[in-house]
Amino acid sequence: MGPRSLNNQPQTEQLLSPEQVKVKVTHVLLSNFDALCYSGELPVNYPKTVGRFATGIITECGEKVYGLAKGDKVFIKGTRPCLKCLHCKKGDTDNCEHIQIAGIDFDGFLRDFVTCDYRRVAALPDGVDAVSALCIEHVAFAENIYDQLKLAPGSKVAISGGNALALIVAQVAMYHKLVPIMIVGDPACAEKLKKSGVYFSFVNDENLSENIAAATSGIKCDASVYISASGISSDVASSVLARDKTLVLEGMASLNYKINSLPLLRHNTKVICVTDGFGYTESAINMILHGAIDLSGIEKQVLTEFDPAAILKEKLSDLAHDHKLVIAKLIF
Ligand SMILES: [Zn+2]
């Protein structure tokens, strides 16, 4: 209803057009993003339902729905084109100027049913498990980053942060034959990442620049991804870059922070911002199917009875250490 005000309200969902599907929501990932929607730190146009990442089962299909049928398992896309900008009006929704995000611009998915255009869901193949399916936008997000970076195989990519998103960004880098170098806040997190298959994983301490030099033969990194809720200074992310390289400011769970311009100017750094995985859903599903990500090292909690406000408050208390995937399982 407003910042830190979450109510459970009855609502009806029915098919309004022959191009819509009705989906019974089965799983919702409760993330830092949802916590920031709940707290009011993100610019939510209240009232809005929380829940950006969700999967479900189709219970009804309109007559003009293609490629989907009742009973299909689907991923519900957390981003949509605005349908109002010039690109959208010309039918070029892929280049929408105002990508809409669930939980901020339209209702999120922590509810029993979602009715939407069939193009706003993606069929889930049998080989994609429930937990990986909830991370489809994370993989899509990583794809969006690497598509823009266009790095050659063997390039070194620094990733500042140690949460689930950071690990997925690192695993997608390895899938593309890039070398991730993770910078984290504490030694326990660095150890965990090494066990998850990330070879270079360093603590942000006084040895960092020496470690980065050793990992990059002294030439520093080809790109650096700064995870905004990492608790690490953005200046660390820019300090590991070689000259003329790119700093990626990740904003899936956007926070307001300051960044020092002088080091960026001195090194001719290019800065890009990535806030969603819009347009990469299908390729992300394909990558998951081909084993691009391994979430076995991440702690998970699947809840059938839960208090969403309590979960989101707990996330807010320590955004930087968001190691646990908290999943709400909604049953019939
Ligand atoms: Zn648009």
Side-chain angles (χ1 to χ4, degrees):
M1 304 306 291
R4 293 187 185 250
S5 167
L6 194 61
N7 286 352
N8 189 357
Q9 291 185 340
Q11 191 179 312
T12 48
E13 287 280 338
Q14 51 196 18
L15 290 194
L16 296 172
S17 105
E19 296 190 345
Q20 283 188 331
V21 287
K22 184 172 175 179
V23 179
K24 167 73 187 89
V25 179
T26 56
H27 298 82
V28 180
L29 177 70
L30 290 166
S31 67
N32 272 354
F33 172 82
D34 303 299
L36 293 168
C37 286
Y38 168 70
S39 74
E41 280 163 85
L42 283 171
V44 179
N45 186 13
Y46 296 110
K48 284 286 172 291
T49 306
V50 292
R52 175 168 172 176
F53 313 103
T55 58
I57 295 172
I58 293 184
T59 56
E60 280 180 57
C61 259
E63 291 154 22
K64 290 186 180 168
V65 168
Y66 298 98
L68 294 165
K70 192 177 166 180
D72 281 356
K73 283 186 191 166
V74 291
F75 169 71
I76 311 167
K77 297 177 187 176
T79 51
R80 297 176 180 176
C82 73
L83 305 179
K84 287 177 185 161
C85 71
L86 190 62
H87 291 286
C88 281
K89 284 190 171 159
K90 283 180 175 169
D92 179 21
T93 51
D94 290 351
N95 288 308
C96 174
E97 290 275 331
H98 308 289
I99 305 292
Q100 307 284 292
I101 300 178
I104 294 185
D105 305 305
F106 63 96
D107 276 329
F109 312 128
L110 188 62
R111 47 184 160 140
D112 291 316
F113 288 95
V114 171
T115 302
C116 62
D117 185 291
Y118 76 97
R119 283 157 288 220
R120 307 280 75 85
V121 303
L124 287 173
D126 287 338
V128 177
D129 64 273
V131 178
S132 300
L134 290 169
C135 294
I136 286 171
E137 199 188 341
H138 298 62
V139 177
F141 182 91
E143 275 299 90
N144 189 355
I145 291 175
Y146 296 121
D147 205 17
Q148 296 192 50
L149 288 175
K150 298 193 188 341
L151 297 167
S155 298
K156 312 282 195 308
V157 184
I159 299 160
S160 300
N163 62 10
L165 175 64
L167 176 63
I168 291 171
V169 170
Q171 291 182 338
V172 172
M174 291 190 275
Y175 185 85
H176 288 294
K177 300 185 169 61
L178 306 171
V179 182
I181 299 175
M182 300 198 69
I183 302 166
V184 297
D186 58 90
C189 183
E191 270 316 301
K192 233 187 235 178
L193 290 168
K194 275 189 182 154
K195 280 184 192 148
S196 293
V198 181
Y199 182 70
F200 294 118
S201 156
F202 303 128
V203 180
N204 176 31
D205 59 15
E206 65 282 0
N207 300 321
L208 182 66
S209 53
E210 209 175 292
N211 285 332
I212 295 285
T216 59
S217 312
I219 49 174
K220 294 193 171 181
C221 300
D222 301 293
S224 179
V225 181
Y226 178 61
I227 306 287
S228 69
S230 62
I232 295 168
S233 160
S234 56
D235 295 330
V236 172
S238 63
S239 73
V240 299
L241 280 171
R243 192 177 167 80
D244 292 320
K245 303 299 183 187
T246 307
L247 172 66
V248 181
L249 302 179
E250 170 280 326
M252 188 183 256
S254 320
L255 285 174
N256 244 337
Y257 55 85
K258 290 200 166 59
I259 186 157
N260 284 318
S261 55
L262 205 53
L264 301 174
L265 296 168
R266 289 285 296 163
H267 292 97
N268 261 8
T269 304
K270 188 175 155 191
V271 180
I272 61 170
C273 300
V274 179
T275 49
D276 57 69
F278 180 74
Y280 293 89
T281 306
E282 278 75 12
S283 75
I285 292 173
N286 214 25
M287 287 178 66
I288 292 170
L289 207 52
H290 289 92
I293 59 164
D294 173 9
L295 301 174
S296 58
I298 296 182
E299 197 187 331
K300 300 157 198 93
Q301 192 177 20
V302 182
L303 306 163
T304 48
E305 280 180 38
F306 53 88
D307 173 2
I311 295 169
L312 298 177
K313 273 181 205 159
E314 197 192 327
K315 293 231 166 255
L316 285 171
S317 69
D318 192 5
L319 292 172
H321 296 91
D322 185 30
H323 299 313
K324 191 165 63 179
L325 294 174
V326 181
I327 296 162
K329 189 173 177 185
L330 286 72
I331 38 185
F332 276 99

